[in-house]
Amino acid sequence: MHVFDVLVVGGGSAGLAAAVSAARLGARTLLIERGGSLGGTASAALVHSICGLYRLPDSPENPPVLANTGFAAEFASRLTALGGPAGPIRMGRVDVLLQHPTAFARAADAVVKETPNLEIRFHTELLQVSSDFLNATISCRGRTESLSTRTVVDASGDAAATVLGGGESEMAPSERLQRPAFIFAMHGVEPAVLQDDGRLKIARRIATGVQSQVLPKGALGAAFRWSGRGTEAFVTIDLDAPDYDPLDAHCLTRLEMLGRELAGCVADFLQREVTGFSQSFISALPSRIGVRESRRIVGKYRLETHDLETGAQFDDAIALATWPMELRETNRGPRLRYPDNNRPCEIPLRALRARDHGNLFAAGRCIASSHEAQASTRVIGTCLATGEAAGMGAALFALNGECDAAAIRAHREKIKA
Amino acid sequence: MASQPNSAFESLEHQLVSLISERLLETRPDFNADSNLYDNGLDSMAIMQLLVLVEEKYRVAIPEGDLTRQNFSTTRHLAELIRESSARAA
Ligand SMILES: Cc1cc2nc3c(=O)[nH]c(=O)nc-3n(C[C@H](O)[C@H](O)[C@H](O)COP(=O)(O)OP(=O)(O)OC[C@H]3O[C@@H](n4cnc5c(N)ncnc54)[C@H](O)[C@@H]3O)c2cc1C
């Protein structure tokens, strides 16, 4: 039987950061991922910008300042090195790093290949984990295998590892969950029509299409962005999802099909009726819809809405959350709730540790937080930072039987961006 | 702040301010007719929603040519646009 120090479940941005960071501290690390690439939502769901990498600027003249050094900063510079739109751009009150999902997956492969002590297994799903989180059963295409580990990092986005081992989790009621979205790519779009006022003209045409019932109402949720490459554009459609349950196969199936249907309607309409789209077509569909929120673990501390609003500080801080709480409880666009004086909020290590299990850590969008707090901490920049901290914490716990925030902060300092 | 416009005009601005904060954006506490909408989170997707909301409510059609970032930068500008459109329709 294989023996590991750290088992990371899920290879999204958080799992990637966790696995690399644990292995770099010398822990024998296994990362399992159900899909065929790293990045999770950031690659497979075609999310194309990274939020939460920078602090909120105090004035329009101030240049972007990194929120978290360490792996988040390192990975951001690896992405920039792979081309595409380089460097952060300011959108209103925030700084964002535009990225390409294909670059994310490639940069992730490159960094894991360079990392000793790290084994990656794609097409592999966690089936079972014991209630002490020391033994797990994994499966690849019907072939199962048992392994033992000292610690588990739940980076599944859905707190799936926690729940499989009998750990506690919570989830917002259906109507409050952040709405899911369907992102697809189009080719043959003239980049000029996506600049500044161009996007407003597209908005006008789509609104008219909906008003005249040529387009379904769901098309009103569509947003457009040039991908930074040739004539490629990304289209994001926030989905109106009645009886939404991100853990229910029926619901997910319905939404995947709805997303493709809307994508088809919108793309056909644009191609037929809108300047700059006459040569365009759908060039890529996501391999999964984008789920913004599902379960969160019950931790030793729950990051509260108030903490985000006031920019709370903690003795056991391991990362900064800097993105405003981006509420998307409807498909009518985001509502951004900013903290007092743009203050960053510290994330305590306790929010990454399961309340009842010393060797269970969480990272990414399923850390212990309130529904609103998660609307800030779910962004990729913050997932990279919580992933790094959870990976280091799990490695230290596996190797020394304990871990503390000061040690994690000290290790992060050593990483050069 | 701009000088006080007359009360009939003010009410359209007021209605829009409430419509935007209730239905569309997470507006700051000091949000008013002159606040920058983009700073309050307006993006092209939200503009789409806003168009449909105001066109339905005020029975106007805002033409494509008027769709500029400038015209949507504050509630006051938007109110102006709605007045112009209904004047044209009348
Ligand atoms: C439509 C949409 C737009 C967004 N836009 C932005 C944006 O512009 N900027 C930004 O920064 N953030 C954005 N976000 C948020 C951000 O993309 C996600 O919250 C973040 O990527 C989540 O990362 P994660 O690693 O926590 O989880 P995920 O990326 O969801 O990764 C979890 C991984 O775990 C795997 N997994 C789950 N269960 C198992 C199992 N049992 N066994 C094996 N593997 C398993 C899954 O296959 C998945 O790959 C957006 C999200 C959505 C949905």
Side-chain angles (χ1 to χ4, degrees):
Chain A
M1 187 161 72
H2 273 94
V3 180
F4 295 94
D5 296 315
V6 177
L7 169 65
V8 179
V9 179
S13 35
L16 162 71
V20 170
S21 306
R24 282 177 178 170
L25 291 189
R28 293 162 302 171
T29 306
L30 174 67
L31 167 66
I32 59 170
E33 164 54 47
R34 185 165 51 204
S37 67
L38 294 170
T41 305
S43 58
L46 303 181
V47 169
H48 41 277
S49 66
I50 303 190
C51 306
L53 279 177
Y54 309 96
R55 287 175 183 246
L56 289 171
D58 283 326
S59 88
E61 299 81 49
N62 291 3
V65 176
L66 282 169
N68 294 294
T69 56
F71 189 78
E74 174 193 331
F75 195 69
S77 50
R78 283 172 179 266
L79 278 175
T80 323
L82 278 179
I89 58 163
R90 189 152 293 170
M91 297 178 168
R93 296 176 66 188
V94 292
D95 290 312
V96 173
L97 184 71
L98 295 181
Q99 69 114 5
H100 202 283
T102 60
F104 199 108
R106 289 169 53 217
D109 284 346
V111 66
V112 300
K113 271 194 209 150
E114 289 169 17
T115 309
N117 311 314
L118 174 57
E119 183 179 335
I120 307 282
R121 293 203 211 162
F122 290 135
H123 299 282
T124 300
E125 181 151 13
L126 181 70
L127 284 187
Q128 286 176 342
V129 62
S130 57
S131 58
D132 54 11
F133 291 89
L134 295 175
N135 295 286
T137 307
I138 59 176
S139 166
C140 171
R141 304 191 173 221
R143 185 183 287 165
T144 61
E145 192 181 321
S146 296
L147 58 88
S148 79
T149 183
R150 289 174 198 271
T151 58
V152 172
V153 177
D154 189 339
S156 63
D158 302 322
T162 302
V163 168
L164 285 171
E168 285 216 51
S169 70
E170 58 173 324
M171 192 162 98
S174 168
E175 66 281 4
R176 294 210 61 204
L177 284 168
Q178 312 297 344
R179 294 300 96 177
F182 191 85
I183 307 178
F184 63 100
M186 293 185 72
H187 250 276
V189 180
E190 286 170 28
V193 303
L194 297 174
Q195 306 304 323
D196 304 325
D197 288 350
R199 283 196 292 194
L200 305 191
K201 315 270 179 226
I202 300 172
R204 166 74 280 175
R205 299 305 293 270
I206 292 187
T208 308
V210 170
Q211 287 164 329
S212 58
Q213 293 177 7
V214 177
L215 277 174
K217 236 182 159 179
L220 275 186
F224 295 80
R225 185 172 298 146
W226 181 47
S227 82
R229 299 183 176 183
T231 61
E232 185 186 48
F234 288 117
V235 186
T236 302
I237 306 185
D238 272 16
L239 301 173
D240 177 24
D243 303 321
Y244 179 44
D245 180 355
L247 305 172
D248 177 59
H250 294 104
C251 176
L252 292 168
T253 304
R254 184 161 48 82
L255 293 174
E256 296 279 6
M257 295 211 262
L258 172 66
R260 286 190 285 270
E261 188 186 327
L262 284 172
C265 295
V266 169
D268 289 348
F269 175 82
L270 293 167
Q271 194 270 330
R272 249 189 355 253
E273 307 207 3
V274 180
T275 323
F277 284 86
S278 63
Q279 302 297 314
S280 70
F281 54 91
I282 297 177
S283 58
L285 291 172
S287 43
R288 62 187 80 145
I289 56 158
V291 169
R292 292 188 166 98
E293 179 188 12
S294 57
R295 293 191 201 95
R296 312 178 295 268
I297 68 152
V298 172
K300 296 189 194 299
Y301 179 83
R302 186 172 111 142
L303 196 63
E304 296 294 351
T305 313
H306 178 256
D307 295 332
L308 269 293
E309 283 167 350
T310 55
Q313 295 184 315
F314 299 95
D315 289 341
D316 62 335
I318 44 76
L320 290 183
T322 58
W323 193 252
M325 288 178 271
E326 183 181 321
L327 302 168
R328 289 181 179 262
E329 294 168 353
T330 69
N331 68 335
R332 293 194 297 273
R335 299 179 76 115
L336 295 167
R337 197 182 295 169
Y338 285 84
D340 304 341
N341 303 319
N342 283 345
R343 279 181 63 156
C345 174
E346 293 183 346
I347 302 174
L349 177 59
R350 284 166 298 152
L352 312 189
R353 302 196 64 182
R355 186 187 62 200
D356 304 324
H357 300 89
N359 62 340
L360 174 60
F361 294 73
R365 66 179 167 88
C366 59
I367 64 171
S369 56
S370 72
H371 161 72
E372 289 88 355
Q374 196 267 3
S376 164
T377 58
R378 73 161 182 270
V379 294
I380 298 166
T382 313
C383 286
L384 291 169
T386 57
E388 174 185 48
M392 286 179 173
L396 293 172
F397 191 88
L399 302 175
N400 311 329
E402 57 177 23
C403 71
D404 66 67
I408 292 173
R409 291 194 299 258
H411 283 296
R412 172 177 287 156
E413 286 304 308
K414 292 184 203 148
I415 297 173
K416 296 227 166 35
Chain B
M1 270 286 245
S3 58
Q4 283 295 314
N6 80 43
S7 61
F9 284 177
E10 187 65 62
S11 81
L12 175 57
E13 270 97 21
H14 269 148
Q15 287 173 20
L16 289 170
V17 163
S18 341
L19 179 80
I20 289 170
S21 352
E22 278 157 28
R23 301 283 305 268
L24 212 59
L25 304 176
E26 184 82 14
T27 49
R28 297 204 234 179
D30 57 355
F31 182 69
N32 61 47
D34 295 304
S35 308
N36 185 302
L37 289 173
Y38 301 109
D39 284 351
N40 280 279
L42 188 76
D43 61 8
S44 58
M45 177 178 159
I47 284 181
M48 228 182 265
Q49 310 284 345
L50 186 55
L51 271 178
V52 172
L53 283 174
V54 300
E55 291 187 342
E56 219 163 81
K57 187 164 169 151
Y58 299 104
R59 310 241 156 248
V60 292
I62 297 172
E64 194 174 317
D66 285 348
L67 268 267
T68 60
R69 275 184 73 82
Q70 169 65 17
N71 280 345
F72 280 79
S73 57
T74 65
T75 307
R76 199 175 297 287
H77 283 123
L78 176 61
E80 200 45 48
L81 205 58
I82 293 173
R83 281 189 205 105
E84 280 168 18
S85 304
S86 49
R88 255 197 310 268

